[in-house]
Amino acid sequence: MPAWFWLVPLASVLALGAAYFFFSQMMKESEGTETMARIAAHVRAGALAYLKQQYKVVGIVLASLTAIFCVLAYVLHMQNPWVPFAFLTGGLFSGLAGFIGMRTATFASARTANAARESLNHGLRVAFRSGAVMGLTVVGLGLLDIAVWFFVLTRFYSIDDAHHVVIVTTTMLTFGMGAAVQSLFARVGGGIFTKAADVGADLVGKIEAGIPEDDPRNPATIADNVGDNVGDVAGMGADLYESYVGVILASAALGAAAYFGAGAEVQLTAVVAPMVIGALGTLLSVVGVFFVRTREGASAQQLLASLGRGVNGSAVLIALLSLAVLSLMGVPNLWGVWTALVVGLLVGITIGRAAEHFTSQGYAPTQRIAGSSKTGPATVIISGLGEGMLSVAVPVAAVGIGTSLAYFAGSGWQFTTDTMNLGLYGIGMAAVGMLSTLGITLATDAYGPIADNAGGNAEMSGLPPEVRERTDALDALGNTTAATGKGFAIGSAALTGIALLASYIEEVKIGISHVLDRGNEFFFPDGSSVVPGSGDALQELGLMEMMARFEVVLVNPKVIVGMFTGAMLAFVFSGITMKAVGRAAGQMVDEVRRQFREIPGIMAGTSDPDYARCVEISTRAAQREMMVPSILAIAAPVLIGVLFGVPGVLGLLAGAAVTGFSLSMFMANAGGAWDNAKKYIEEGHHGGKGSAAHRAAVIGDTVGDPFKDTAGPGLNILVKLMSMEAIVVAGVTVAIHLV
Amino acid sequence: MPAWFWLVPLASVLALGAAYFFFSQMMKESEGTETMARIAAHVRAGALAYLKQQYKVVGIVLASLTAIFCVLAYVLHMQNPWVPFAFLTGGLFSGLAGFIGMRTATFASARTANAARESLNHGLRVAFRSGAVMGLTVVGLGLLDIAVWFFVLTRFYSIDDAHHVVIVTTTMLTFGMGAAVQSLFARVGGGIFTKAADVGADLVGKIEAGIPEDDPRNPATIADNVGDNVGDVAGMGADLYESYVGVILASAALGAAAYFGAGAEVQLTAVVAPMVIGALGTLLSVVGVFFVRTREGASAQQLLASLGRGVNGSAVLIALLSLAVLSLMGVPNLWGVWTALVVGLLVGITIGRAAEHFTSQGYAPTQRIAGSSKTGPATVIISGLGEGMLSVAVPVAAVGIGTSLAYFAGSGWQFTTDTMNLGLYGIGMAAVGMLSTLGITLATDAYGPIADNAGGNAEMSGLPPEVRERTDALDALGNTTAATGKGFAIGSAALTGIALLASYIEEVKIGISHVLDRGNEFFFPDGSSVVPGSGDALQELGLMEMMARFEVVLVNPKVIVGMFTGAMLAFVFSGITMKAVGRAAGQMVDEVRRQFREIPGIMAGTSDPDYARCVEISTRAAQREMMVPSILAIAAPVLIGVLFGVPGVLGLLAGAAVTGFSLSMFMANAGGAWDNAKKYIEEGHHGGKGSAAHRAAVIGDTVGDPFKDTAGPGLNILVKLMSMEAIVVAGVTVAIHLV
């Protein structure tokens, strides 16, 4: 085991320790008045109740899939015996990351509001520390899972045998699938919950009754605040846990394939390198978070600047230090691998900047959308859809150029397919570079919903308006960092998606060798075959050769049908989740209207609305509506695999990745731009709050809610889940086509 | 030359003769009152003025491209000397088809309104005859272009030499590109014109001023009527001309490649077969149109039924007669080819039915959207987007299953890649089957805008309301047939897109043989090469072998970057056209508001609004806004070809086809559903006209306008244009990568 590996568990323990430290620091703060504590307790209880329901559903799904994997592994011997367990830990840890983040956030909201009563400065510190708990928990648990499994598996497989290293790394990809299943339910269920409540509350409260957001007279307001926690916090935590673990494991697997014949030491170094970079970034994140924290007496302005310094400083430091560490580790193709890493960082920053350009009220696109509100809601929607569609140009170009450069650098400065595995390892390392400082970027991302909830708490507790203004300022800052964060998540998913195509082929090879081990000859679609005993010859087959034998070329109808299906799934999945939000929001509107009608004292403030009923509606809707899209996502790779084999599956993954990237970018940016176009008008442009333009912009914002927070992020996970799952069931796909 | 070929010019002449007959029949009708004639003259003049402007722009583009092709052909000797001329005729004929359709429609609107004064029956007959002029002109000109060029080229190339037949058929694909350039401008420019006027007129007229559609007090109303003619008639004519010619030529080219080694006679039969099927369908269409026409004294209900019988009868007859004709022609793999043809017909019908299900007010999806209007415009938009996204499932599944079956049947009942060219010929024939009866389906499609315009004429001329009710009834019937027509167009584009990937490879081979002819060795990306003099060996290379040598496999980063770019272009192209409509509609709103403000007597009806100014705004907007997306579409295949070569181009085409199909289906169906959800409410549901639900539904309809009539159809052409262009410049792509 390379000595540098031990940095991984070390960073994990430090990150989790720091997270615990920040958590207990935050818990020492006061929750404020009795009303504030009571409201926070309501939200906390609602969030916990929902999450219990969600985990029940996910638990059943995870248990069923684990049972299936046990049958495949122990009864049919089609799969590696570690798969069921790896799958399960991925699912559990992903859920745990979301749960811890959510608990922290629900404890933090009243405390942030209370701190904001004192000063913006204090409010920011409490919110940011709570965000850091989530950021560091996600990376800490991720590295822990990786370190433990790598340690355990390398006890059972020889790290001197190149085949074994490949088996170890591809087995570990299985817990990526567990995490993906968990995060799918968390994102889709949480996304439906939060947007049903948000849209429903806005439609009746802001548009019909003319009361402000988070007004305690609005029956859906508690549900809305619960939604922020279960969707934006727990959902995002599970999602990014999966992304983080996914890119590191994919790169490790690519490293094992790329340096297959280069000797055990070189191969192992390439495998461990992405883990070590992750650990290094985590250590820098911990330092960065502490660095932000130390400026106790600074002004708000300075604190914001120092927050930026924390994030940017970590990025610059990882770029510099990683060169030193990779060099000390003796990574092969040092400059190439390092360049790929830096390219990944730059692509992430470019995508984030582009997202900011297309969604922030400081730039032309959002201002144009705001301007189009003068001619009513229809033109707001048309221009938002138009700007959103246009906004995919820069991210796709960045990913295209980044992919090419990383491939070029990774394959030793050439752009041919002779060194394809090396090039793909470069692409994987670019994805690792992009997510290396996730600990701190997620911290600056996760505190947004906390500030949002603090604002809700302040409003409902009747705190003076300046408190709400402060929490709004924190929330607005969070929107900008969130745009960058989303850019990193979507960009890394695209790069990982590309890289995982190669991992799939590696897993197919393992599946074929299982077939050979059982004494069967294996026939490729092109008519060639491998016979039992020729396992070594099989391993020698390059990626291009495997693609040729499986005929994974663009004119093969199996590939084409797979691609069309992948693209279609991206749209259908988004359509189902959009419809779910629309339907659930409609129920919410009916319920709120009913309460306004039947409970007479609500608008006068003399009687309380029935908050719990609204929470229940969102919970039931989320539970019911997350099943169909999840089953679709899980079933598709298996079905296509059975019908069209390896070429069909690769077509499916490529089609979904290619369409899903543009579609989710479009939805995320359109939604963000509508949100901020509304804020731009609220700042006093085009007539300001209450004008016809503002009413039109609120409609745009409402349409954007499920776009950016339900369908968009869900799509991202759909693509990753299908890739991970295809890899896990590759052996089965191969075995079935033998029959 | 096979004797059956002569059916092609015969059918062409008959179709054009029938078109002329119907045109002169229609011209004998009276235009009605002086006001009616005057309004029709206004619209006709506006449409003609716009089209002149558009043809100027297109003329410059066509001339420039022709000049470039001349240089490539005569100076650099990189291209076949026929290419510039073939390109030009395609562009001219496509424009001519649109022009004739548009002129007919503008002559027909007042005549239809006048006929509707008498009876629904008479109105339908005039409108349908005028639609038939367009339908028969499109197929007649298409077959004429094909027949003349095939006749001319086979004088210069030997039809006994298999190589020559390949050269002839791929050269003919060039006029597909000319037609695609023309239809791009027609669809995008016309689509921007019509929707800017429509959206602008609706926003101020229906929503702000509360006056009905086509009210003469609305200054944008003439522009709106002009738009129907230049967008929905001229644009659609050019578009379907291109589709029709494209599928026949692609199939011919695939036939030449599929039966390359099978002897001159068999190869030529396979090449001529798709042309003959087109001619047969055209003859049946002429008969079908006459059949509809003969029922002079029938009731309206019976007339509609007879219209359906005309369309369905033609489809059943083509299915039966084609078997006889193909058998008499001695087409190889008779049952397979015929099955593919029938599969294509069924896929088209399935897509049309699915479109009807998702967009007609008789079914649940549209009714659900109408229901969501009770909670305001935001939920209308959300549910429309959701239903639209979901609606892509059936069309993609139909294309997937249809592609597989056609491939299976075409390749002699097997699903392997050994007989790939045969299978792709099957896919091509399926596309031909789908569009074989275009003459009559387009007739039932094109009369919709004519009826719409007749309604506008009736409204503006102050005819009694029952006339408007009759034209509305005709328009509504047209909406249903239009949904089917769009299904056929989009479905055939998807199938052709797949088939054209193979034609591209054939053209690449020709490009390589040019390289060899000039004494250079050609190196494939995989390192293998062909030397001068080995042209025969090159021709022997199968499609799979070519794909392997060019490394067009799914993990090649060049392919992947191409795919991401193709998907991105689909979104960016749609975004640009959506924004253009939003921007132009905003200008229209400002102008209409200004006229209401500054011309005092408009609302009282005492002074005329300045109609011409609104026509001018739409014209300028369309002219300005069509340049960027068109340049993008034309430049992309060249740029990607220069940067990433053959694998990049194939990735681009596949990515654009796959994403574009789902995206355009989504936009077409969402737009259609919003339109009919509004109509459903106008029928008296959810409060009927003037209710809050109706206002919300009108906003949905307005958003849907550019979706279904600008961005959606434009996207379809983008995909086809890029494929055609890639084929035309394939030789250049090859030659550049040699340098």
Side-chain angles (χ1 to χ4, degrees), chain A residues 240-464:
Chain A
L240 284 168
Y241 174 86
E242 191 272 335
S243 297
Y244 186 70
V245 163
V247 298
I248 292 178
L249 294 179
S251 293
L254 292 167
Y259 293 98
F260 187 79
E265 202 180 332
V266 173
Q267 188 193 30
L268 210 59
T269 306
V271 166
V272 171
M275 305 176 191
V276 172
I277 296 297
L280 187 65
T282 298
L283 292 175
L284 290 173
S285 294
V286 174
V287 174
V289 171
F290 269 99
F291 186 67
V292 170
R293 181 188 157 276
T294 48
R295 314 223 142 195
E296 284 279 347
S299 77
Q301 207 60 31
Q302 287 173 306
L303 256 173
L304 304 195
S306 112
L307 194 144
R309 271 199 300 278
V311 174
N312 295 333
S314 304
V316 172
L317 281 179
I318 190 82
L320 296 176
L321 285 181
S322 61
L323 181 60
V325 170
L326 291 174
S327 162
L328 290 171
M329 284 181 77
V331 163
N333 182 22
L334 172 65
W335 288 99
V337 169
W338 181 74
T339 304
L341 213 104
V342 173
V343 164
L345 265 173
L346 292 175
V347 170
I349 290 167
T350 307
I351 296 178
R353 280 285 159 84
E356 203 185 319
H357 177 84
F358 273 94
T359 61
S360 150
Q361 58 259 58
Y363 297 94
T366 302
Q367 292 176 5
R368 278 196 295 263
I369 296 173
S372 70
S373 68
K374 285 183 292 181
T375 44
T379 41
V380 169
I381 304 290
I382 290 174
S383 68
L385 292 171
E387 299 285 355
M389 286 173 165
L390 198 56
S391 77
V392 309
V394 177
V396 173
V399 165
I401 296 170
T403 304
S404 307
L405 284 180
Y407 184 92
F408 181 66
S411 65
W413 315 105
Q414 47 191 329
F415 204 80
T416 68
T417 49
D418 296 343
T419 50
M420 184 166 262
N421 274 315
L422 295 172
L424 290 168
Y425 181 60
I427 295 175
M429 288 305 280
V432 170
M434 202 183 277
L435 286 192
S436 55
T437 56
L438 184 71
I440 191 161
T441 49
L442 188 52
T444 64
D445 199 352
Y447 94 101
I450 294 171
D452 195 359
N453 252 262
N457 191 294
E459 191 84 37
M460 283 186 276
S461 314
L463 296 186

Side-chain angles (χ1 to χ4, degrees), chain A residues 368 374-375 377 386-387 389 407 415 417 544 551-554 557-558 567 571 575 579 593 658-659 662 699, chain B residues 368 374 377 386-387 389 407 415 417 544 551-554 557-558 567 571 575 579 589 593 650 658-659 662 699:
Chain A
R368 278 196 295 263
K374 285 183 292 181
T375 44
E387 299 285 355
M389 286 173 165
Y407 184 92
F415 204 80
T417 49
M544 282 299 300
E551 302 182 324
V552 193
V553 301
L554 268 187
K558 291 175 188 171
F571 278 91
K579 277 180 67 179
R593 281 182 183 164
V658 158
T659 304
S662 281
I699 290 170
Chain B
R368 277 195 295 263
K374 285 183 291 180
E387 300 285 355
M389 287 173 164
Y407 184 91
F415 205 80
T417 49
M544 283 300 300
E551 302 183 326
V552 193
V553 300
L554 267 187
K558 291 174 188 172
F571 278 91
K579 277 180 66 179
V589 169
R593 281 180 182 165
L650 281 167
V658 158
T659 304
S662 280
I699 290 171

